[in-house]
Amino acid sequence: MTAPEPVYLDYAATTPVDPAVAEAMSRCLTEPDGLGNASSATHLFGRRVAERIERARAEVAALIGAAPEEIVFTSGATESDNLAVLGAARANAQRGRHIVSSRIEHKAVLDPLKRLEKEGFAITLLAPDRSGRIDPQAVAAALRPDTVLVSIMLVNNETGVIQDIAAVGALCRARGVLFHSDAAQAVGKIPLDVHALPLDFMSITAHKLYGPKGVGALYVRDEARGYLQPIVFGGGQERALRPGTLPTHQIIGLGVASDLSRRGLAREHARLCGLRERLWQGIAKLGAVHLNGEGAHCVPGILNVSFEGVEGESLVTGVSELAVSTGSACNSASAEPSYVLRALGRDTQLAQSSLRLSFGRFTLPEHIDLAVDAIRREVTRLRVLSPASEPPGAPDEAAESPVAGTPAAATWVVGEAGGPGQEVWVRLRLSVQDGRVKSALFKAYGCPHTLAVVAWVTERLRGRGRAGLAPGTPEQWAEALTVPVEKLGRLLVVEDALADCARHWPEPR
Ligand SMILES: *Cc1c(COP(=O)(O)O)cnc(C)c1O
């Protein structure tokens, strides 16, 4: 017996491949008309493949209102972002070395910007307002005479907030500054007409669009082509902006995916708005729930919520029947909470307790109902464990010494570490008699690793005295419970709670 597959609610990470896309790709890989190199103009196979690639190019262009020759195929949005940011900055370095972007961009934009800093560029990163929007007036204020590029994403991947690209683009156009937008989360989700928007470059990826991973495109406005230089060299394909043999099956997948999305866009948008409302209404009943991006225009397929008094990774682990994502530290190798939610002004605890639910073409109302039930159950359960229901430092009646004066009486010792504003909190309560731990209890919140270690340590406290109270070191606990080394820092809170117990140890009578 295996557990049933979880319900997939992580469409913002990647979407399922549409069966029609998979079929077209599979035919391309197995049938003779998929054979050939699009650059081989001397024979039928090459010409046939080139023609199919041009059809896919036209399908991608139609989805965003571009001309086919404005589409440059890449390996995905990461490469498209790199090409636009590095390529436009370097090509225009003689005109100026200042770039404006935002703190909520995807790493595929932020990391190339860091690279450019090393090359002598100055970068201004704007912060969003509390609803997650970048104010176009802030962009205007940040522009300098030496600004050559502005890069602001169209839809944020964590919150789903739609930026006012038309206003930002108009400012850039008026000042002669190039404008790039990462539209990985927008294309196929909201109507887009690049010719109506003052955009120069726009990044697209197939795998957020029911297409395959590993293929995408950069829209390059015809007039902006001369302001972009390649980041890879050799072969001359894609007008030398992105050389390399074109991956026919991947590109055909992107083409079919674009076509399907364009045809279904209006209907799907309305349907997903209904699902989002159903999900939010269901979750909001819990109370003390915050909608991240509230008050802003959002794509309908992403709902990002923070729960007071709940740690995000415990929640994600608890709702095992759902495949969802959290921006919190335990999830990623970096030890920081969601930088996007922090940028929105959420405090650490709320940023830690966020859940991103994202859904799309294959999500049904019953999936949403199942998600609501699971989240309500887990949040309710975790809030019982949370210090929000028992504030740290609050008077604790059991901590009073019982039956004073009786020599053999046990004394309660309480030790505590972490707490509000931090991702971990641990309270140990030991019953101490004749200088030894008679029994031990704990209360804690934190990621599952922390909780497992607290439980493990608590079980091993019996019979221990003040000196040598800790059963081993955090390194040894991590090893015993196979905690990943980058999470080791969290276990220090358990050690601190033990030290706090030792500080409160009763004087021998
Ligand atoms: C997914 C995503 C990317 C990266 O796209 P890949 O095709 O996986 O490289 C970049 N930007 C945003 C906003 C995304 O959501």
Side-chain angles (χ1 to χ4, degrees):
M1 281 263 297
T2 50
E5 293 260 297
V7 174
Y8 188 77
L9 294 174
D10 206 8
Y11 277 61
T14 193
T15 53
V17 174
D18 193 286
V21 171
E23 208 209 298
M25 291 180 69
S26 164
R27 263 190 283 116
C28 174
L29 285 168
T30 51
E31 291 174 8
D33 63 354
L35 177 61
N37 184 322
S39 300
S40 305
T42 52
H43 55 69
L44 172 70
F45 295 103
R47 286 195 297 272
R48 210 156 50 185
V49 159
E51 194 191 295
R52 295 187 65 174
I53 284 176
E54 291 321 304
R55 206 183 316 147
R57 198 186 300 280
E59 285 166 335
V60 177
L63 176 60
I64 60 168
E69 55 280 11
E70 294 176 311
I71 301 299
V72 174
F73 289 118
T74 66
S75 65
T78 299
E79 189 189 331
S80 297
D81 287 345
N82 273 262
L83 174 56
V85 170
L86 297 174
R90 289 172 182 163
N92 297 282
Q94 74 293 345
R95 291 200 297 131
R97 288 176 169 256
H98 179 240
I99 300 171
V100 177
S101 186
S102 83
R103 283 165 57 183
I104 58 167
E105 297 300 309
H106 194 273
K107 299 271 187 203
V109 166
L110 293 175
D111 287 353
L113 289 175
K114 275 191 205 142
R115 172 71 233 176
L116 287 170
E117 242 172 359
K118 295 205 180 82
E119 294 175 20
F121 284 83
I123 315 290
T124 301
L125 292 185
L126 301 171
D129 65 18
R130 285 196 70 90
S131 55
R133 284 170 301 204
I134 304 298
D135 181 359
Q137 288 318 308
V139 176
L143 292 178
R144 309 194 318 208
D146 61 339
T147 308
V148 286
L149 176 69
V150 170
S151 180
I152 302 286
M153 71 198 324
L154 221 158
V155 170
N156 181 265
N157 45 300
E158 285 195 43
T159 59
V161 169
I162 304 170
Q163 301 298 338
D164 190 353
I165 290 310
V168 175
L171 283 165
C172 293
R173 183 74 43 99
R175 300 279 290 267
V177 174
L178 293 164
F179 180 40
H180 164 250
S181 187
D182 177 346
Q185 296 285 351
V187 173
K189 317 284 163 67
I190 51 173
L192 277 178
D193 180 358
V194 285
H195 285 167
L197 289 169
L199 260 174
D200 295 302
F201 313 111
M202 190 176 87
S203 302
I204 302 171
T205 188
H207 77 98
K208 309 273 173 79
L209 192 63
Y210 310 96
K213 295 166 185 70
V215 65
L218 182 67
Y219 158 77
V220 179
R221 189 170 60 88
D222 201 29
E223 297 86 343
R225 185 175 296 268
Y227 298 99
L228 189 64
Q229 68 181 38
I231 52 172
V232 289
F233 300 88
Q237 289 91 343
E238 300 297 271
R239 299 200 193 173
L241 276 176
R242 205 291 191 167
T245 302
L246 291 169
T248 318
H249 63 295
Q250 298 282 79
I251 289 172
I252 282 171
L254 172 56
V256 173
S258 299
D259 195 47
L260 287 172
S261 289
R262 185 177 55 82
R263 292 169 194 278
L265 199 147
R267 198 177 353 105
E268 187 64 359
H269 189 277
R271 192 183 74 88
L272 293 181
C273 283
L275 291 186
R276 188 178 197 268
E277 192 55 25
R278 189 183 185 110
L279 182 57
W280 172 240
Q281 290 307 330
I283 293 175
K285 287 210 185 87
L286 274 165
V289 181
H290 302 268
L291 181 58
N292 295 310
E294 184 155 34
H297 287 296
C298 291
V299 286
I302 299 180
L303 189 80
N304 189 313
V305 281
S306 291
F307 301 88
E308 286 177 26
V310 173
E311 198 266 346
E313 204 194 343
S314 307
L315 182 55
V316 167
T317 311
V319 291
S320 55
E321 62 269 65
L322 310 178
V324 294
S325 150
T326 168
S328 86
C330 227
N331 198 33
S332 59
S334 67
E336 52 191 282
S338 163
Y339 67 92
V340 172
L341 298 185
R342 290 304 299 280
L344 294 196
R346 292 278 182 230
D347 72 21
T348 317
Q349 200 267 320
L350 275 183
Q352 287 287 351
S353 74
S354 80
L355 207 58
R356 181 186 70 183
L357 299 142
S358 53
F359 41 91
R361 191 173 293 167
F362 306 104
T363 310
L364 301 171
E366 45 268 41
H367 297 141
I368 297 293
D369 294 345
L370 194 139
V372 167
D373 288 347
I375 291 165
R376 279 165 56 168
R377 180 198 68 222
E378 276 308 299
V379 169
T380 307
R381 189 180 72 81
L382 290 167
R383 278 181 176 168
V384 172
L385 292 172
S386 149
S389 57
E390 186 192 347
D396 193 340
E397 65 298 338
E400 304 288 320
S401 291
V403 212
T406 322
T411 308
W412 286 105
V413 174
V414 177
E416 183 170 57
Q422 295 182 47
E423 63 231 47
V424 200
W425 169 77
V426 174
R427 175 186 289 173
L428 295 167
R429 186 186 291 169
L430 316 179
S431 159
V432 174
Q433 193 172 28
D434 299 329
R436 302 268 152 204
V437 176
K438 223 176 89 190
S439 63
L441 298 166
F442 76 92
K443 250 188 177 191
Y445 77 84
C447 75
H449 295 305
T450 316
L451 296 180
V453 166
V454 180
W456 188 87
V457 165
T458 306
E459 272 173 30
R460 282 160 182 75
L461 293 177
R462 221 185 133 166
R464 291 179 173 274
R466 178 183 190 169
L469 180 60
T473 63
E475 288 78 10
Q476 289 164 337
W477 307 335
E479 201 184 317
L481 293 165
T482 56
V483 176
V485 62
E486 68 270 18
K487 313 275 163 68
L488 201 66
R490 304 181 153 219
L491 306 186
L492 299 180
V493 172
V494 183
E495 197 178 39
D496 289 348
L498 286 168
D500 198 38
C501 285
R503 266 195 296 281
H504 294 114
W505 207 261
E507 292 301 325
R509 270 178 277 205

